[in-house]
Amino acid sequence: QVQLQESGPGLVKPSQTLSLTCTVSGGSMSSGTSYWSWIRQHPGGGLEWIGHIYYSGSTYYNPSLKSRLAMSIDTSKNEFSLRLSSVTAADTALYFCARGGTVPADYFDYWGQGTLVTVSS
Amino acid sequence: DIQMTQSPSSLSVSVGDRVTITCRAGQIISNYLAWYQQKPGKAPKLLIYDSSRLQSGAPSRFSGSGSGTDFTLIISSLQPEDFATYYCQQSYSVPPTFGQGTKVEIK
């Protein structure tokens, strides 16, 4: 059973960088069978896909966030990370990591429980 | 980006009711459509993928249909644990995009 767990600060100051890590258990990220995504949900809002990373390190970012976004992967630790720079209150959201399929656009079958990030001074 | 539009945005129903939720894509997406259930404070749970395939572990009262631009999620007989928000998501092209959600509430 694959499990994902997000970790990182719950409070970030405006203009600073939001950093989150997702640790995957129950499967090896280096097997190359999945794309690994970040998805967020604003309070009371819908779901917004942020971007994904493949085991090789190749990434695709949502164009709306691309200029502020960086993702990385460490297959030896079975984890991947998100860095979102120059945050504002609009980045306050529940952040999920999720496992996609074997193609860049796919559905998400396993999700982390989510971590709430608040941007505030 | 492909826009996904769900209807209705909310509905009030009773246990045992048949529930129908629709999702329309802004362009043809073949059958690359998934449905999720989300309860407050929890992660979405995959119910249906490829428009009509039931995810392992999802109850058989959930079914999906459609192709092209128009899709439907049906709950054949609503159970108390089904009160939640449902989202569709296209998996045709990146970036994957979600509908705005349909909240199923108790009448």
Side-chain angles (χ1 to χ4, degrees):
Chain A
Q1 176 80 352
V2 174
Q3 293 184 310
L4 294 87
Q5 177 69 58
E6 306 89 350
S7 59
L11 181 64
V12 182
K13 289 182 166 49
S15 79
Q16 294 192 341
T17 297
L18 180 163
S19 296
L20 296 174
T21 295
C22 181
T23 302
V24 179
S25 58
S28 172
M29 298 182 73
S30 59
S31 64
T33 56
S34 301
Y35 283 78
W36 303 93
S37 283
W38 289 97
I39 296 163
R40 70 181 183 180
Q41 186 170 37
H42 294 105
L47 298 161
E48 178 185 26
W49 182 79
I50 297 171
H52 70 214
I53 190 164
Y54 196 47
Y55 80 103
S56 61
S58 65
T59 57
Y60 188 98
Y61 302 149
N62 193 317
S64 66
L65 298 168
K66 185 177 181 179
S67 63
R68 300 192 289 130
L69 195 54
M71 292 185 183
S72 60
I73 191 167
D74 187 336
T75 56
S76 67
K77 295 182 179 179
N78 241 32
E79 62 185 36
F80 62 108
S81 299
L82 163 76
R83 288 173 57 86
L84 183 65
S85 62
S86 305
V87 297
T88 69
D91 295 308
T92 292
L94 185 60
Y95 285 76
F96 297 101
C97 56
R99 188 182 83 164
T102 56
V103 295
D106 215 330
Y107 50 86
F108 307 101
D109 57 354
Y110 290 99
W111 297 63
Q113 64 186 22
T115 187
L116 179 62
V117 177
T118 302
V119 179
S120 175
S121 56
Chain B
D1 299 5
I2 299 176
Q3 184 172 356
M4 306 300 293
T5 304
Q6 287 181 236
S7 61
S9 55
S10 65
L11 66 163
S12 296
V13 295
S14 300
V15 172
D17 284 354
R18 178 183 175 91
V19 173
T20 301
I21 299 170
T22 64
C23 178
R24 174 164 288 180
Q27 66 180 70
I28 292 173
I29 59 170
S30 185
N31 66 331
Y32 295 105
L33 193 284
W35 290 97
Y36 300 85
Q37 176 193 68
Q38 186 181 32
K39 296 182 179 179
K42 301 292 187 180
K45 175 184 174 183
L46 178 66
L47 296 174
I48 301 282
Y49 64 96
D50 291 349
S51 179
S52 61
R53 294 179 181 270
L54 191 67
Q55 173 68 354
S56 175
S60 58
R61 61 183 178 274
F62 291 94
S63 64
S65 64
S67 184
T69 60
D70 294 319
F71 302 87
T72 301
L73 174 70
I74 292 176
I75 310 172
S76 60
S77 178
L78 196 78
Q79 298 302 299
E81 60 269 29
D82 300 337
F83 290 98
T85 299
Y86 293 84
Y87 293 93
C88 63
Q89 176 237 325
Q90 64 82 13
S91 57
Y92 179 80
S93 67
V94 285
T97 46
F98 296 85
Q100 79 278 17
T102 295
K103 188 174 184 179
V104 177
E105 300 174 301
I106 301 172
K107 182 183 287 184

